[in-house]
Amino acid sequence: MCNLYSNTMPVGAMRQLFAVEPGSDDLGNAQPLPAIFPKGTAPIIGLDADGTRWMKNTHWGFVLPQVSKKTGKPIQPKAVNNARDDKLRTSSFWKNSFVERRCLIPATSFCEAKGRNPATYVWFGVKGDDARPPFALAGVWRAFAGNYGGEFRELITSSMVTTTPNELVRDTHPDRMPAILHPEDYEEWLTGDPKSAFLLIRQFPADEMVIHQSGEGLKSDKGGL
């Protein structure tokens, strides 16, 4: 599971890395995001019907409407921000998005918390020449229109795919880690058929990853700024 990650890439760098034309970029003058939490702003790369790549800001987490058990009235929805790989092809909550609306989620690090009171926040990334080399997580997206916080809202929502952790992440989170994609697999994740796309969800090699920082209270990866 991942409930916190960062994306401190400049917009221009994201366009170049993910081959998005300026006219298909809706981020504007977006600022670096050293801490992205569920229900927060999450840039993604997706596809138009004609195959053109676009880049948009989304709401991190598929909206799951809820009603009060006492009153039966709508209450604040949940944001389901992690999609387990073992549920993608079987759960009605995820299946259509996996088949029809896969996306790339740009990131420069992700965080897992270990322990409680106080928790240790461990920030993971990939190895490279830069302080925080960029990478992409496998994601899915869908549109939402409905009651949200007492008002009608229309949103593009996203969720990252999680898989079993490698040996580097396992010591902090023994069950799940985000599915990191290799750059040569970006196109196949976006455009391939569901069977070939599913094969791309696998443990990212531990020897190609690094722990950027670890400590109590580190709820923001400001080391990437």
Side-chain angles (χ1 to χ4, degrees):
M1 178 179 288
C2 177
N3 288 319
L4 176 59
Y5 75 104
S6 74
N7 175 15
T8 56
M9 277 183 278
V11 174
M14 280 191 279
R15 283 201 303 261
Q16 183 176 8
L17 180 61
F18 299 110
V20 177
E21 295 295 328
S24 299
D25 161 25
D26 291 345
L27 300 192
N29 295 319
Q31 298 300 306
L33 299 170
I36 303 173
F37 293 93
K39 299 184 180 180
T41 298
I44 67 169
I45 292 87
L47 292 178
D48 280 334
D50 64 0
T52 301
R53 292 189 185 189
W54 49 252
M55 191 157 58
K56 301 178 186 291
N57 279 323
T58 68
H59 170 284
W60 185 25
F62 280 19
V63 176
L64 180 62
Q66 298 189 98
V67 296
S68 169
K69 293 181 179 180
K70 292 183 178 180
T71 67
K73 295 182 178 180
I75 57 176
Q76 185 74 350
K78 285 186 177 180
V80 188
N81 54 292
N82 288 174
R84 291 178 60 105
D85 55 354
D86 56 350
K87 303 292 186 182
L88 280 176
R89 298 182 293 180
T90 58
S91 169
S92 60
F93 192 73
W94 301 116
K95 186 175 181 179
N96 286 345
S97 295
F98 171 64
V99 171
E100 302 174 4
R101 295 181 298 276
R102 295 187 294 273
C103 65
L104 303 173
I105 302 176
T108 48
S109 62
F110 69 89
C111 182
E112 299 288 2
K114 182 177 182 179
R116 294 184 178 180
N117 301 320
T120 298
Y121 292 87
V122 185
W123 287 87
F124 300 91
V126 300
K127 291 181 178 178
D129 296 330
D130 300 330
R132 295 290 189 276
F135 55 95
L137 303 172
V140 291
W141 70 273
R142 72 179 185 186
F144 167 80
N147 178 70
Y148 193 109
E151 63 179 1
F152 179 83
R153 295 183 66 183
E154 294 182 285
L155 302 168
I156 300 296
T157 67
S158 62
S159 180
M160 63 177 61
V161 177
T162 64
T163 188
T164 54
N166 60 30
E167 53 267 34
L168 181 68
V169 179
R170 191 178 300 129
D171 181 61
T172 304
H173 198 293
D175 182 51
R176 296 272 103 189
M177 70 173 283
I180 302 173
L181 296 169
H182 289 277
E184 60 268 25
D185 294 331
Y186 293 170
E187 180 68 14
E188 186 68 20
W189 177 254
L190 289 174
T191 65
D193 62 75
K195 183 177 180 179
S196 62
F198 189 77
L199 294 176
L200 302 178
I201 305 171
R202 52 186 182 266
Q203 287 182 355
F204 197 80
D207 60 5
E208 295 180 27
M209 292 182 63
V210 65
I211 294 176
H212 287 310
Q213 57 181 342
S214 175
E216 297 175 9
L218 289 176
K219 295 185 179 182
S220 178
D221 186 17
K222 294 183 179 179
L225 293 174

